[in-house]
Amino acid sequence: TGPEFERVIRADLTSSLIMESLAAGVRAPPSFGAIGVAIASENRTVTVAQAPISLAGNVAPPTAAQLQTFYDQIKDRLQLPEFRQVTLVLARKADFTQRANVTDQQVQDEFDRRAPSLGTPEKRSSVRIVAQSQAQANDVASRINAGQAPDAVAQALHLQVIHGTDEARAAVTDAPVAAAVFSQAPNAPARAVQGQLSWVVVKTLSVTPGVTPQFSAYKDQIRTELQTVASGDLIDTAISNFEEARAGGSTMAQAAQSAGLATVSVPAVEAQGHDTHGQPVPVLSGSPELLRAAFQTAEGEASDFMQVTDGEALVAVDHIT
């Protein structure tokens, strides 16, 4: 929505201004540090004298004029605070999570999509020697199978040797070589394989089995995550429908009802979040942004939707006392 776009742009501009200042090397002048040290290290010696109330003697009752003067001086402190009657329009996550319909097939499809990253792939350790020809590769394989150490064979023929330790198949970038590593049994005879660029002698040393994820272990988590995403989409749609209804002339209550949003009326609240009896207003407790909006919005107007703990909400000011 327009207000959401404006909030994003304002946040981006603020971040940009801060980063430009930091990149330019802005820092506080040394004099600020000197002032801070002076204040932090300051000591004072004081003398305190007591004046007991008895020294005042007998005080005569105040006259009517004195009472009036004193009242005029303190009447601002006796004034009741400003109260506002507001209506909250709430798009609560819990309400829309219940409406989000996530099917078993959607959960299964999402599990299938994530399965490769949820499990642990099979890993293998191997030794691979890069030969210059097929004949040389066959010779290397024969020497290894006859009992010679792969490193010794590679050193004798001045060939490159690669030790792969606990590698997943994706870590072996030469596809034919990877196929050989992951098809051989551990400690099976070495064999020559034609790789993408050269002949390679492959010997698989060990296998660490992979772990396949179980659908039963993840289905509840995936369902909850899909419901959260679906409820977020439903909230966005409901807010859009609410805004369209308001733009079309519907009242706040009518627009909220047509969009499936909850409304809560607060008869009176002051700027600190208390009602006329000095008690906290429950629906505004823990939502300082809503309380601020209530006292920054003109009578008869409404704020934009804003993020709150349990979803999104706006506040409309019905009356100001």
Side-chain angles (χ1 to χ4, degrees):
T1 64
E4 290 173 338
F5 176 77
E6 182 178 344
R7 286 199 296 272
V8 171
I9 295 302
R10 286 185 181 277
D12 289 346
L13 290 175
T14 302
S15 298
S16 176
L17 291 172
I18 293 173
M19 293 306 298
E20 287 175 5
S21 298
L22 293 175
V26 174
R27 61 182 179 83
S31 57
F32 278 32
I35 294 173
V37 171
I39 293 175
S41 59
E42 181 179 84
N43 290 296
R44 294 196 177 197
T45 301
V46 299
T47 300
V48 178
Q50 285 187 319
I53 191 67
S54 59
L55 293 179
N58 294 324
V59 180
T63 64
Q66 289 173 322
L67 286 172
Q68 182 64 50
T69 300
F70 184 64
Y71 168 75
D72 291 339
Q73 293 172 346
I74 68 168
K75 62 182 179 181
D76 288 344
R77 286 185 282 163
L78 303 177
Q79 179 176 321
L80 290 174
E82 176 182 303
F83 283 94
R84 295 197 170 203
Q85 178 183 345
V86 300
T87 298
L88 305 178
V89 179
L90 307 174
R92 295 177 292 208
K93 295 177 183 177
D95 296 341
F96 287 88
T97 298
Q98 296 174 354
R99 303 176 198 174
N101 181 26
V102 176
T103 65
D104 292 340
Q105 187 59 50
Q106 287 175 306
V107 177
Q108 181 67 60
D109 291 344
E110 182 63 15
F111 172 78
D112 293 341
R113 188 184 69 81
R114 299 186 190 183
S117 61
L118 296 176
T120 302
E122 178 184 299
K123 294 182 179 181
R124 295 194 171 204
S125 296
S126 65
V127 60
R128 307 188 290 274
I129 298 175
V130 180
Q132 297 174 357
S133 65
Q134 181 178 6
Q136 188 180 50
N138 290 331
D139 178 45
V140 170
S142 297
R143 295 189 186 200
I144 293 174
N145 294 333
Q148 296 185 38
D151 286 341
V153 175
Q155 185 176 6
L157 299 177
H158 306 290
L159 300 178
Q160 178 187 6
V161 61
I162 301 170
H163 292 277
T165 303
D166 280 336
E167 291 179 313
R169 185 168 186 143
V172 184
T173 56
D174 191 323
V177 174
V181 170
F182 281 81
S183 62
Q184 282 186 345
N187 294 314
R191 64 188 180 97
V193 177
Q194 186 173 14
Q196 294 174 334
L197 300 177
S198 61
W199 281 87
V200 181
V201 177
V202 175
K203 183 175 179 64
T204 300
L205 303 177
S206 66
V207 177
T208 302
V211 177
T212 302
Q214 299 299 312
F215 176 68
S216 58
Y218 291 93
K219 64 178 182 179
D220 292 340
Q221 173 188 336
I222 292 176
R223 184 181 297 276
T224 299
E225 291 175 3
L226 291 180
Q227 284 180 326
T228 299
V229 173
S231 64
D233 293 339
L234 290 175
I235 287 176
D236 291 343
T237 301
I239 290 176
S240 178
N241 292 339
F242 172 85
E243 300 285 7
E244 290 180 6
R246 286 282 290 154
S250 298
T251 65
M252 191 74 62
Q254 292 170 339
Q257 183 177 10
S258 65
L261 300 175
T263 58
V264 176
S265 295
V266 178
V269 62
E270 48 87 53
Q272 304 305 315
H274 299 92
D275 60 19
T276 53
H277 301 291
Q279 299 300 313
V281 177
V283 72
L284 291 172
S285 297
S287 298
E289 63 278 5
L290 281 178
L291 192 59
R292 283 195 299 270
F295 281 81
Q296 292 172 355
T297 303
E299 184 173 342
E301 300 292 336
S303 70
D304 296 326
F305 274 95
M306 63 194 77
Q307 294 286 338
V308 292
T309 303
D310 59 347
E312 296 190 41
L314 68 71
V315 56
V317 179
D318 303 322
H319 180 67
I320 298 176
T321 302

